[in-house]
Amino acid sequence: MLEHHARLVALFDYAREVVGRKKLQKMVYIAKKLNFPFGEKYQFHFYGPYSEELTLRVEELCNLGFIEETKEKVSGYYQYRYTLTGEGEQFLKHYDLDLEPLKDCVTSMNEKPSRMLELISTILYFDHLSNGEIVEKIQVVKQKQKYTEEEIEEAFRYIEDLKSQQ
Amino acid sequence: MLQQLNEEKVFKDPVHRYIHVRDSIIWDLIGTKEFQRLRRIRQLGTTFLTFHGAEHSRFSHSLGVYEIVRRIIEIFQGRPHWNNEERILCLAAALLHDIGHGPYSHSFEKVFNLDHEDFTQSIILGDTEVNSVLKKVDGDFPRKVSEVIAKTYENKLVVSMISSQIDADRMDYLLRDAYFTGVSYGQFDIERILRVMRPKEDQVVIKHSGMHAVEDYIMSRYQMYWQVYFHPVTRSAEVILSKILHRAKALHEEGYTFKLEPIHFVSLFNDDVDLDDYIKLDEGIIQFYFQAWQEEKDEILSDLCERFLNRRLFKYMEFNPNDHMEHWHRLYTYFVKAKIDPDYYLIVDSSSDLPYDFYRPGEEEERLPIHLLMKSGEYRELSRESTVVEAISGKKRTDHKLYYPSDLVERIEDQDLKRKISEILEL
């Protein structure tokens, strides 16, 4: 019961804090692509892979008091900060999730800027294509972000690093 | 020049009155077996068990989305940012956007780990009648249609006509679902919205003067979620449906011998579904098996099928995981003692388990919001201008329900056990 919710709570437990909804979306997507058992369905949207199911589930976790959402104004726009609550910790105790390998992955992703996670998740979204085709695809679907060659190379390297840790 | 029909064809439609077809390619797509299959898949899955009128199909919805896009294009003609060479691409993508849906697709996708969008891509790009028709436009046309539907096409304006927070898909399903369920709150002034839509570089925007019509659309969307899409009785039917599929799969994995070999399910059970198998699935096939499985010796499978077909649904209570976690653990134990398998008869269902979405203002670039085009030429996000939309955006929109079979609880012979369960379930 509510295993998908519990896995998300575990992610917040490992991350301690996630700043930004976009960042959260991309972290879960990347973890899912690395075969961690997140069940949220993703589709490609304007800003890359996005899961409405995840958005609503996070809203549920906030309403239940398992995570706390803080809205902060940052240079003209709003940003959301998520932290695990005591109730969330209690909730997690009901589950034996065996997600320890997720910890390093989450910690590492959490240190990356959301712009980079957006690029990484977009690369993973097109991972059925060759690397050359992926680069072409990024230049089409992420034209506005103007990713540099260095950033794209870094993203590919990072994906290999994450995969080698599995 | 694309071939046109000698005479315009029209379909009578209860929502849009008429659906107009002039392009041969659209007419031919409608005639393909993959598109005709959509007649045999209900748009709202199990909702007909709550709202008996909700028998409409994905076929009629797909035609409706096509018709809305056709009308949007008429409004966009000659305006900046609109490239009329994209016209037939928009129409084909609108018509085919749901081509990969299967019967009761929400439950099927969850249980068998499928994604109808993958099948949409396969039907458009694979060896199918749809693909053959699309290739008549040009060899690259199927790829473009598939990319528009997958939202990865380079022209974001085209994508946003079919998939955005105010798109032809949503506008049709809200009006159509309201019409067929018979509810009065799904209505909004689509003619007005279409008239105030404007093409921009990356998306469709709405002239500020049309804001109130869009407010109505957002309100109707909000009400339809709670009154129709999140209806607890429909969710009960959906819970039973998914448990039937789980049970059948589990029995297959145990090596159970079905009285009627479920040949249409074997590739699903084995996580090895190919396109031919998938296209054969429709609601007729599924209902046939459910009828047959009522006669199975496995009591859980036969009981769940009998419940689904005869609408003997589970009862429900509000469930707050924060307060009721201990209750749930106790109930689980009591159900085991009462020999009612809790894995099939004690289910928590959450709003996030449902496949619908609320309007989101797109903070932190989470999702592209609806933009109003102001007189000054600048864009403003809808909820910043509309207090109505702002108010709805901040409301609590989640719930959790615990589903259980009250009739089985009633039949528990151990009176002490029955009393304990009844107390928790407030029976």
Side-chain angles (χ1 to χ4, degrees):
Chain A
M1 181 205 48
L2 299 174
E3 281 82 6
H4 290 304
H5 294 75
R7 287 184 196 114
L8 282 178
V9 174
L11 182 142
F12 287 108
D13 185 33
Y14 292 144
R16 305 316 304 170
E17 174 178 270
V18 178
V19 181
R21 287 177 171 176
K22 183 157 81 174
K23 187 171 206 172
L24 177 63
Q25 282 278 339
K26 308 310 176 202
M27 281 170 67
V28 174
Y29 181 74
I30 295 166
K32 189 178 171 184
K33 289 295 283 187
L34 293 169
N35 292 324
F36 287 106
F38 291 100
E40 287 75 18
K41 186 179 173 184
Y42 274 81
Q43 291 186 323
F44 200 83
H45 280 260
F46 206 84
Y47 302 108
Y50 168 82
S51 170
E52 177 63 25
E53 205 174 331
L54 174 64
T55 299
L56 199 54
R57 202 157 276 160
V58 169
E59 205 171 313
E60 285 172 349
L61 292 174
C62 290
N63 291 338
L64 291 168
F66 294 164
I67 54 174
E68 187 174 289
E69 180 186 76
T70 320
K71 191 175 179 180
E72 300 164 346
K73 196 162 189 176
V74 186
S75 56
Y77 73 97
Y78 288 107
Q79 157 180 289
Y80 293 82
R81 182 180 295 269
Y82 296 96
T83 47
L84 186 66
T85 64
E87 281 101 335
E89 284 176 17
Q90 288 302 315
F91 173 72
L92 204 49
K93 284 181 183 162
H94 291 281
Y95 296 87
D96 182 16
L97 293 172
D98 191 23
L99 281 174
E100 195 58 29
L102 179 66
K103 190 172 185 175
D104 289 345
C105 175
V106 166
T107 309
S108 165
M109 286 192 288
N110 211 10
E111 287 166 359
K112 295 278 177 196
S114 61
R115 174 182 162 85
M116 179 48 79
L117 294 180
E118 183 178 345
L119 175 59
I120 292 162
S121 59
T122 304
I123 289 173
L124 287 170
Y125 192 84
F126 294 110
D127 62 2
H128 55 284
L129 303 175
S130 69
N131 284 9
E133 288 169 330
I134 293 173
V135 174
E136 279 176 27
K137 201 77 194 166
I138 286 165
Q139 278 152 2
V140 171
V141 298
K142 294 281 160 194
Q143 209 174 359
K144 281 199 164 174
Q145 282 81 343
K146 294 189 169 54
Y147 285 114
T148 63
E149 275 180 37
E150 289 74 24
E151 282 178 301
I152 295 173
E153 279 172 24
E154 187 193 333
F156 274 111
R157 269 198 309 274
Y158 184 67
I159 290 168
E160 287 311 309
D161 284 352
L162 285 176
K163 283 182 178 169
S164 67
Q165 288 164 24
Q166 300 309 302
Chain B
M1 182 69 183
L2 283 163
Q3 202 183 339
Q4 301 270 294
L5 299 166
N6 292 333
E7 268 190 347
E8 182 180 69
K9 304 274 190 188
V10 289
F11 294 80
K12 280 292 286 176
D13 182 76
V15 176
H16 305 301
R17 288 197 67 235
Y18 288 101
I19 286 162
H20 305 256
V21 179
R22 195 68 204 256
D23 300 279
S24 296
I25 211 83
I26 297 299
W27 185 249
D28 291 348
L29 283 172
I30 293 168
T32 60
K33 70 174 181 186
E34 294 88 10
F35 193 81
Q36 289 293 318
R37 166 183 159 275
L38 298 178
R39 289 182 187 271
R40 305 190 296 274
I41 296 172
R42 289 187 189 93
Q43 172 71 11
L44 284 180
T46 58
T47 300
F48 72 97
L49 289 167
T50 310
F51 298 94
H52 65 263
E55 298 275 356
H56 53 304
S57 67
R58 293 207 181 267
F59 179 90
S60 60
H61 165 64
S62 298
L63 287 179
V65 177
Y66 154 83
E67 175 63 17
I68 293 175
V69 167
R70 195 191 66 76
R71 292 185 195 175
I72 293 173
I73 291 170
E74 280 182 356
I75 288 157
F76 284 4
Q77 294 282 0
R79 292 190 184 277
H81 302 290
W82 173 247
N83 175 2
N84 210 42
E85 286 177 14
E86 304 275 34
R87 177 183 159 276
I88 197 68
L89 175 62
C90 291
L91 293 177
L95 188 72
L96 299 178
H97 77 286
D98 270 351
I99 193 82
H101 265 291
Y104 307 115
S105 55
H106 182 59
S107 287
F108 266 71
E109 288 182 19
K110 289 281 176 194
V111 175
F112 298 120
N113 197 24
L114 305 171
D115 187 341
H116 71 267
E117 306 220 353
D118 294 342
F119 288 104
T120 297
Q121 298 294 309
S122 300
I123 290 170
I124 291 170
L125 299 171
D127 181 15
T128 60
E129 291 183 13
V130 163
N131 180 266
S132 300
V133 174
L134 292 172
K135 278 199 290 206
K136 287 185 203 164
V137 177
D138 72 59
D140 202 29
F141 192 63
R143 179 192 61 80
K144 288 182 180 175
V145 173
S146 75
E147 287 187 351
V148 173
I149 296 173
K151 307 175 201 61
T152 57
Y153 187 60
E154 58 192 320
N155 185 338
K156 301 293 181 197
L157 169 64
V158 169
V159 173
S160 80
M161 289 162 71
I162 295 149
S163 182
S164 64
Q165 298 212 64
I166 185 158
D167 60 11
D169 183 18
R170 280 186 175 74
M171 285 193 277
D172 184 81
Y173 79 59
L174 287 172
L175 292 174
R176 193 168 299 278
D177 295 347
Y179 178 88
F180 281 98
T181 53
V183 301
S184 58
Y185 23 69
Q187 300 301 324
F188 57 89
D189 187 351
I190 187 171
E191 299 300 329
R192 175 76 180 140
I193 291 179
L194 296 184
R195 285 177 64 87
V196 294
M197 282 183 147
R198 292 292 177 267
K200 287 292 163 194
E201 192 184 1
D202 276 344
Q203 69 171 129
V204 178
V205 297
I206 307 289
K207 271 176 74 180
H208 181 262
S209 58
M211 184 179 81
H212 298 301
V214 179
E215 283 177 339
D216 232 17
Y217 156 82
I218 298 286
M219 276 303 288
S220 86
R221 199 169 145 184
Y222 180 81
Q223 291 188 322
M224 285 293 283
Y225 289 137
W226 285 115
Q227 305 298 326
V228 177
Y229 304 135
F230 289 6
H231 196 289
V233 176
T234 309
R235 286 162 72 178
S236 178
E238 203 72 32
V239 161
I240 292 173
L241 173 66
S242 71
K243 288 297 163 188
I244 292 173
L245 302 176
H246 273 298
R247 185 64 181 175
K249 187 176 186 214
L251 290 172
H252 173 79
E253 285 166 358
E254 285 168 17
Y256 173 89
T257 307
F258 289 85
K259 283 185 186 168
L260 174 75
E261 192 187 349
I263 48 172
H264 293 88
F265 278 88
V266 170
S267 59
L268 289 165
F269 293 155
N270 295 335
D271 295 331
D272 183 28
V273 189
D274 67 21
L275 188 57
D276 285 342
D277 289 339
Y278 187 77
I279 287 173
K280 282 178 195 153
L281 290 175
D282 60 29
E283 289 184 8
I285 293 278
I286 306 306
Q287 300 258 5
F288 167 73
Y289 280 102
F290 287 6
Q291 286 276 3
W293 287 347
Q294 287 184 106
E295 311 302 325
E296 282 294 339
K297 56 187 177 297
D298 180 76
E299 287 178 7
I300 293 177
L301 184 62
S302 67
D303 176 67
L304 292 171
C305 288
E306 196 272 328
R307 284 175 188 280
F308 186 79
L309 291 173
N310 300 324
R311 199 186 177 278
R312 289 198 304 113
L313 305 178
F314 291 169
K315 298 284 184 239
Y316 64 92
M317 64 179 284
E318 296 301 322
F319 181 83
N320 182 336
N322 211 353
D323 303 331
H324 298 149
M325 208 63 178
E326 291 305 323
H327 283 175
W328 190 83
H329 284 295
R330 275 165 46 209
L331 270 178
Y332 194 95
T333 311
Y334 295 155
F335 266 53
V336 172
K337 276 186 188 166
K339 297 193 170 29
I340 304 172
D341 190 334
D343 290 337
Y344 293 97
Y345 290 100
L346 192 63
I347 316 297
V348 174
D349 185 71
S350 306
S351 39
S352 60
D353 296 330
L354 300 159
Y356 299 98
D357 55 357
F358 294 99
Y359 176 66
R360 304 204 180 275
E363 285 164 346
E364 283 194 54
E365 299 186 345
E366 193 188 18
R367 238 187 134 174
L368 197 63
I370 297 174
H371 279 122
L372 297 174
L373 175 61
M374 310 304 283
K375 276 189 179 160
S376 61
E378 64 172 343
Y379 302 148
R380 295 273 293 167
E381 190 276 313
L382 176 64
S383 68
R384 303 236 169 158
E385 287 296 302
S386 162
T387 47
V388 173
V389 175
E390 189 193 18
I392 298 177
S393 301
K395 287 279 177 217
K396 178 177 175 287
R397 300 174 286 199
T398 62
D399 78 341
H400 309 267
K401 287 187 166 50
L402 177 65
Y403 286 91
Y404 60 93
S406 61
D407 53 316
L408 293 189
V409 174
E410 274 302 312
R411 274 187 255 150
I412 296 172
E413 287 177 3
D414 180 334
Q415 292 304 307
D416 184 46
L417 193 57
K418 183 175 169 181
R419 182 184 54 76
K420 285 176 179 168
I421 292 174
S422 300
E423 271 175 20
I424 298 175
L425 294 175
E426 297 165 3
L427 290 172

